[in-house]
Amino acid sequence: MTLQYMPGFGNDFETEALPGALPQGQNSPQRAPYGLYAEQLSGSPFTAPRGTNERSWLYRIRPSVKHSGRFAAHDLPEWKTAPNVGDHALALGQLRWDPVPMPEAPTDFLSGIRTITTAGDVHTQVGMATHVYAANADMSDDYFFNADAELLIVPQVGALRVVTELGAMEVAPKEICVIPRGMVFQVALSDGPARGYICENYGAKFTLPDRGPIGANCLANPRDFKTPVAWYEDKETPCRLIVKWCGTFHATELDHSPLDVVAWHGNYAPYKYDLTTFSPVGAILFDHPDPSIFTVLTAPSGEAGTANIDFVIFPERWMVAEHSFRPPWYHRNIMSEFMGLIYGRYDAKEEGFVPGGMSLHNMMLPHGPDAAGFDKASRADLKPEKLTGTMAFMFETRFPQHLTRFAAELDTLQDNYLTCWTDLKKRFDGTIEGNWD
Ligand SMILES: [Fe+2]
């Protein structure tokens, strides 16, 4: 399988895996080329405004009604869905975890998903969930779609081969991909065991944030988003389709692969994005902008400027601010912040926040640089300095994030996280300089 991509965010794409498979000039010819079935996949209501109207036309070997027989209940007990409140006894607090361990038993991407937090309510299509995945096996004859949400996948270890109805993507650490709600896909591991993070977005789709006075360029540029070209398999062996629907899981047995779309056109499509192509904008004289300046994708909530989810990264960049405390400032926030680290070291924490780890600073709980980081930044010689070898990210939501029992009882939860602030001294002594001994 050679992987090819089409550039652009939210474009109206067209692609065919066989010459002439895509009807021209109409969507639904009396007989589609190659005897394919025409099918529309609607990602928005028919009547959504043009700017948010999303659908694709799929030309496939069998229509999707043939990819679903009777369903039976399926068990994925560690994948939780909001509302999922109060299933643990852990007290309120700022939380941090070391990475979840890699599995020892054969575990594919789907069965390797563990929910850390849920927020909002899937039944009203608001909110989100954060998950980690850790896998060591391919989904060989299993296929999956999520009727509840789109999935934003952030690999941290190991590349994923994500094969969707509309085409195949290779997604390695430092890249992300987004799989639309309702789209069938399968995940294989390209180079051994894999681990990473997932944001499950119940609400309006991720889109690019407005740039305001920044103008027409920088941050995430549309051309750097890549959508796969059409790819299909004509596989007639036993397969299984697993569906997530309002937090419940169902499976149906098939005698063929559901990844049978030979050609498609439209704007409802999966995509990947290389996080190192993000062009950061920041303070070039003094102070520190809000972290929203690093928003890659935003999922709006309907209330202006109040995201259901912002996906924010903290990439490599130059730090040049004069007479400024350069790391992130101390903070309390009405939004709830889940963070992960893809590689390197995050600039507000000298130690304890490791690649593959995660932290949760929930609604209105204070957080900020650890004592060592505060002391170092307060005394630093403020030359231009390049922050290299680091990529952290945040899933920030307007909704409180409820911890799962899995996360509350995870062995890698750090009992001593709060001690990172223990050594923050009282510097106030009545003098205008303060006490910096
Ligand atoms: Fe914060």
Side-chain angles (χ1 to χ4, degrees), residues 58-270:
L58 282 48
Y59 301 92
R60 60 194 319 155
I61 298 172
R62 296 174 177 86
S64 289
V65 289
K66 295 287 285 180
H67 302 321
S68 119
R70 286 191 185 276
F71 285 101
H74 185 78
D75 208 21
L76 286 171
E78 296 299 345
W79 188 335
K80 305 292 188 192
T81 299
N84 180 61
V85 179
D87 74 342
H88 66 84
L90 188 68
L92 183 67
Q94 305 93 329
L95 301 172
R96 192 168 67 186
W97 295 261
D98 288 326
V100 292
M102 289 295 189
E104 286 168 14
T107 305
D108 66 15
F109 176 82
L110 201 56
S111 54
I113 292 175
R114 303 282 179 271
T115 305
I116 304 300
T117 70
T118 65
D121 185 345
V122 76
H123 302 286
T124 50
Q125 298 185 333
V126 295
M128 50 91 80
T130 64
H131 315 283
V132 292
Y133 66 87
N136 57 15
D138 296 344
M139 289 170 64
S140 43
D141 294 313
D142 277 353
Y143 301 82
F144 175 71
F145 79 80
N146 187 347
D148 292 344
E150 67 179 344
L151 295 176
L152 187 164
I153 302 173
V154 185
Q156 189 262 322
V157 172
L160 304 178
R161 174 69 62 100
V162 181
V163 189
T164 74
E165 282 178 280
L166 300 198
M169 303 181 283
E170 183 89 5
V171 190
K174 303 188 194 181
E175 297 179 312
I176 59 156
C177 72
V178 172
I179 302 168
R181 184 194 298 257
M183 188 161 293
V184 179
F185 69 98
Q186 183 185 58
V187 176
L189 311 181
S190 303
D191 52 11
R195 183 174 63 206
Y197 310 87
I198 301 172
C199 180
E200 185 183 10
N201 174 16
Y202 308 144
K205 292 182 70 227
F206 278 112
T207 188
L208 293 173
D210 286 329
R211 293 194 190 88
I214 294 171
N217 301 288
C218 295
L219 310 185
N221 287 303
R223 71 179 291 227
D224 296 319
F225 290 81
K226 311 283 186 189
T227 286
V229 299
W231 180 87
Y232 69 97
E233 57 186 6
D234 188 6
K235 176 171 133 180
E236 301 200 339
T237 52
C239 296
R240 185 168 65 161
L241 178 67
I242 298 163
V243 175
K244 179 175 190 279
W245 200 93
C246 287
T248 58
F249 293 90
H250 311 269
T252 183
E253 307 288 335
L254 308 174
D255 59 7
H256 56 267
S257 167
L259 299 183
D260 66 354
V261 177
V262 180
W264 62 270
H265 77 86
N267 63 352
Y268 192 61

Side-chain angles (χ1 to χ4, degrees), residues 40 42 72 91 94 116 143 254 262 273 363 406 416:
Q40 185 174 203
S42 291
Q94 305 93 329
I116 304 300
Y143 301 82
L254 308 174
V262 180
Y273 175 72
M363 179 174 65
F406 171 82
N416 63 350

